[in-house]
RNA sequence: GUGGGAAUAGCUCAGCUGGUUCAGAGCGCAGGAUUGUGGCUCCUGAGGCCGCGGGUUCGAAUCCCGUUUCUCACCCCA
């Protein structure tokens, strides 16, 4: 029996759960404010959803998918990202016939077969939004606003928001012609990957880290300078709204992203504080043709995703604490003899019925040890059960934080009990 | 898929050029000192096939090879 979780996966427990809950709760509060509703899609889809959605020429589809055949011979794939599934669901349920825009958010685990390293796992969690059916640049800015607000609420400050436009179908085609003719004389000098990209997806050459390739494209025309008048107007309006909102950003003309479905506005948010090369915390963009391409109606759309695990990493690194929604009041009940289990049961039942979290020492131990345990585990109150309490029915409740003590009569009405407890906070 | 480093107790690690102080420390955990009251102190205890497999050797935690996992980077992304 192998007792380690598979490569690139991990168990999330203890403090990580608190960070995670904090991030998710912060995001959910914002989603509510922006009127998005949740969608939960399956962890796997028909392989075609990603093949056609993300694009066959992308690295993700080519070499990073967990694809398997089920017992009926269907090809299925564990989702490597969230957008394709959500788009599939929007079309399947004809959500656009209820209202437009369709504004959805999702939280889920994603799977990519890669070599794990800091901030990159084979199974990881993302949360994201998709706003489908609106072409106005206003919604681009609003979506970026949400993205920015999530990190703002968490407490990140030194983030960089990068924006670019990769143009619409038409202007991209024109640009690619210009770009290819510019680099054509040098194509033999490219790295093997870029030689392939030259034919399949020239824009991705901008993502290449090989010095030689970077040099060749250094002075090349950038797509941002070659987008058509409509696309230019669109991105300028997005920038205008961002400025009105006071969101800092900068145009990064070389920015490209790894999914084929993007059109027009794309963006990425990175942290220079993240002690890792994997510094992208979130990103997204427009996908104006994807829904139609999937057989749905024409629905220009935009979305983003953020990496929950990387966000936790950065929070830990910057020493940012999570806020918990846990009740601060919790009681620890100590037994001084094993005669008192029945009374212990009665007290815990009473407290729990009154919404006061509590735990009990399952073993009889010296009183001082039990207090130590209660303090260590962060209980605010301590109740010992011994002969005196049994006789009188009155329990001394010790407030471990304030070093005070009060009496609790377990024959009091429930209302009284919670009142007495709360007043001691 | 490519390249570097690492793996000893729950955690952080020590363990020299192979040989009865080589199965160790600190922290944590459990119990006690303490038969009804707090973070200290002291005592005691549990826990490891030294990642796994092979090799070299009279003898391997230690040297060699393989493998798995972790880690860092490339690629790519969140």
């Amino acid at each position: 029996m192998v007792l380690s979780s598979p490569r690139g996966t991990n168990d999330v427990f203890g403090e990580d759960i608190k960070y995670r809950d904090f991030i998710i709760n912060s995001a959910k509060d914002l989603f509510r404010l922006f009127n998005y509703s949740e969608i939960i899609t399956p962890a796997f889809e028909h392989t075609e959803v990603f093949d056609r959605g993300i694009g066959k020429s992308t690295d993700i589809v080519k070499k990073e998918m967990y694809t398997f055949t089920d017992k009926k011979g269907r090809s299925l794939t564990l989702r490597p990202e969230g957008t394709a599934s959500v788009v599939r669901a929007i079309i399947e349920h004809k959500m656009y016939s209820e209202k437009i825009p369709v504004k959805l958010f999702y939280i889920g685990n994603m799977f990519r077969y890669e070599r794990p390293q800091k901030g990159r796992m084979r199974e990881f969690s993302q949360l994201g939004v998709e706003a489908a059916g609106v072409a106005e640049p206003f919604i681009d800015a609003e979506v970026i606003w949400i993205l920015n607000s999530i990190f703002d609420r968490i407490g990140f400050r030194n983030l960089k928001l990068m924006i670019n436009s990769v143009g619409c179908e038409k202007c991209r085609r024109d640009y690619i012609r210009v770009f290819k003719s510019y680099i054509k004389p040098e194509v033999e000098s490219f790295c093997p990957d870029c030689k392939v990209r030259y034919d399949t997806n020239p824009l991705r050459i901008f993502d290449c880290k090989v010095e030689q390739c970077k040099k060749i494209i250094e002075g090349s025309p950038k797509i941002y300078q070659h987008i058509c008048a409509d696309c230019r107007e669109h991105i300028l309006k997005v920038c205008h709204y961002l400025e009105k909102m006071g969101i800092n950003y900068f145009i990064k003309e070389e920015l490209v992203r790894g999914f084929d479905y993007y059109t027009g506005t794309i963006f990425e948010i990175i942290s220079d504080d993240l002690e890792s090369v994997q510094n992208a915390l979130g990103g997204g963009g427009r996908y104006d043709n994807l829904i139609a391409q999937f057989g749905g109606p024409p629905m220009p759309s935009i979305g983003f995703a953020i990496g929950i695990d990387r966000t936790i990493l950065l929070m830990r690194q910057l020493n940012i604490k999570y806020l918990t929604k846990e009740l601060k009041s919790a009681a620890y009940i100590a037994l001084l003899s094993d005669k008192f289990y029945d009374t212990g049961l009665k007290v815990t039942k009473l407290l729990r019925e009154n919404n006061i979290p509590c735990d009990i020492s399952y073993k009889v131990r010296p009183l001082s040890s039990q207090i130590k345990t209660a303090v260590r585990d962060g209980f605010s109150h301590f109740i010992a059960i011994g002969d005196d309490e049994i006789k009188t029915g009155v329990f001394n409740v010790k407030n471990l934080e304030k070093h005070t003590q009060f009496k609790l009569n377990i024959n009091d009405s429930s209302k009284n009990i919670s009142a007495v407890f709360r007043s001691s906070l």
Side-chain angles (χ1 to χ4, degrees), chain A residues 86-195:
Chain A
V86 172
V87 161
R88 191 228 76 225
I90 288 173
I91 299 167
E92 178 174 342
H93 304 290
K94 297 190 167 59
M95 293 184 193
Y96 42 80
S97 58
E98 296 286 324
K99 60 171 178 180
I100 283 183
V102 179
K103 302 208 299 185
L104 299 170
F105 76 88
Y106 61 87
I107 299 163
N109 46 353
M110 308 295 161
F111 308 85
R112 292 182 201 169
Y113 191 90
E114 301 181 271
R115 282 285 283 270
Q117 67 187 72
K118 188 168 196 172
R120 195 183 66 193
M121 298 291 279
R122 287 182 173 176
E123 181 186 21
F124 59 100
S125 294
Q126 287 187 333
L127 56 85
V129 309
E130 310 294 347
V134 177
E136 317 309 319
F138 185 87
I139 204 161
D140 299 34
E142 199 192 50
V143 161
I144 293 169
W145 178 10
I146 304 172
L147 173 67
N148 197 66
S149 303
I150 291 174
F151 292 125
D152 193 59
R153 285 210 172 185
I154 289 169
F156 294 163
R157 291 297 173 263
N158 300 319
L159 300 183
K160 272 193 208 153
L161 177 64
M162 305 178 295
I163 314 257
N164 194 17
S165 172
V166 291
C168 60
E169 250 181 348
K170 188 188 154 296
C171 54
R172 185 159 22 172
R173 204 163 39 235
D174 292 346
Y175 165 74
I176 286 174
R177 200 159 40 234
V178 173
F179 178 59
K180 281 178 87 166
S181 70
Y182 175 88
I183 55 175
K184 191 160 190 183
E186 307 276 1
V187 75
E188 282 311 309
S189 317
F190 275 128
C191 70
D193 280 346
C194 286
K195 277 182 195 155

Side-chain angles (χ1 to χ4, degrees), chain A residues 4-22:
Chain A
S4 62
S5 72
R7 184 164 163 81
T9 67
N10 59 5
D11 302 308
V12 182
F13 61 96
E15 218 180 13
D16 277 339
I17 291 289
K18 297 185 182 182
Y19 280 105
R20 190 187 155 87
D21 282 351
F22 171 69

Side-chain angles (χ1 to χ4, degrees), chain A residues 23 124-127 151 280-283 305-312:
Chain A
I23 293 164
F124 59 100
S125 294
Q126 287 187 333
L127 56 85
F151 292 125
L281 287 169
I306 79 170
I308 295 176
D309 314 84
R310 285 184 190 176
T311 304
I312 294 176

Side-chain angles (χ1 to χ4, degrees), chain A residues 143-324:
Chain A
V143 161
I144 293 169
W145 178 10
I146 304 172
L147 173 67
N148 197 66
S149 303
I150 291 174
F151 292 125
D152 193 59
R153 285 210 172 185
I154 289 169
F156 294 163
R157 291 297 173 263
N158 300 319
L159 300 183
K160 272 193 208 153
L161 177 64
M162 305 178 295
I163 314 257
N164 194 17
S165 172
V166 291
C168 60
E169 250 181 348
K170 188 188 154 296
C171 54
R172 185 159 22 172
R173 204 163 39 235
D174 292 346
Y175 165 74
I176 286 174
R177 200 159 40 234
V178 173
F179 178 59
K180 281 178 87 166
S181 70
Y182 175 88
I183 55 175
K184 191 160 190 183
E186 307 276 1
V187 75
E188 282 311 309
S189 317
F190 275 128
C191 70
D193 280 346
C194 286
K195 277 182 195 155
V196 175
R197 288 174 180 143
Y198 180 82
D199 292 317
T200 57
N201 198 347
L203 269 184
R204 309 280 347 270
I205 294 175
F206 282 103
D207 245 0
C208 191
K209 304 291 191 302
V210 177
E211 273 311 314
Q212 175 73 2
C213 303
K214 281 163 100 172
K215 200 174 284 174
I216 297 170
I217 57 172
E218 208 174 55
S220 80
K222 305 288 192 295
I223 189 159
Y224 188 73
Q225 300 300 341
H226 282 75
I227 51 179
C228 61
D230 286 349
C231 285
R232 172 153 310 277
E233 194 190 339
H234 184 98
I235 191 73
L236 288 177
K237 276 187 178 163
V238 173
C239 294
H240 166 81
Y241 295 131
L242 289 177
E243 276 153 32
K244 287 279 174 204
M245 291 170 195
I247 294 174
N248 291 322
Y249 70 93
F250 65 95
I251 302 284
K252 189 180 177 192
E253 297 186 359
E254 321 72 70
L255 182 66
V256 290
R257 293 183 53 79
F259 305 128
D260 283 352
Y261 52 64
Y262 284 123
T263 55
T265 314
I266 58 167
F267 50 93
E268 206 164 286
I269 194 158
I270 65 165
S271 163
D272 287 335
D273 290 329
L274 206 50
E275 285 165 4
S276 155
V277 182
Q278 315 303 326
N279 61 357
L281 287 169
R286 259 200 180 273
Y287 46 96
D288 287 348
N289 305 320
L290 182 61
I291 294 181
Q293 208 176 290
F294 266 30
M299 283 180 84
S301 306
I302 182 167
F304 72 76
I306 79 170
I308 295 176
D309 314 84
R310 285 184 190 176
T311 304
I312 294 176
L313 217 57
L314 185 58
M315 282 181 73
R316 281 185 176 280
Q317 207 175 282
L318 297 179
N319 239 327
I320 293 174
K321 283 316 268 185
Y322 45 80
L323 304 171
T324 55

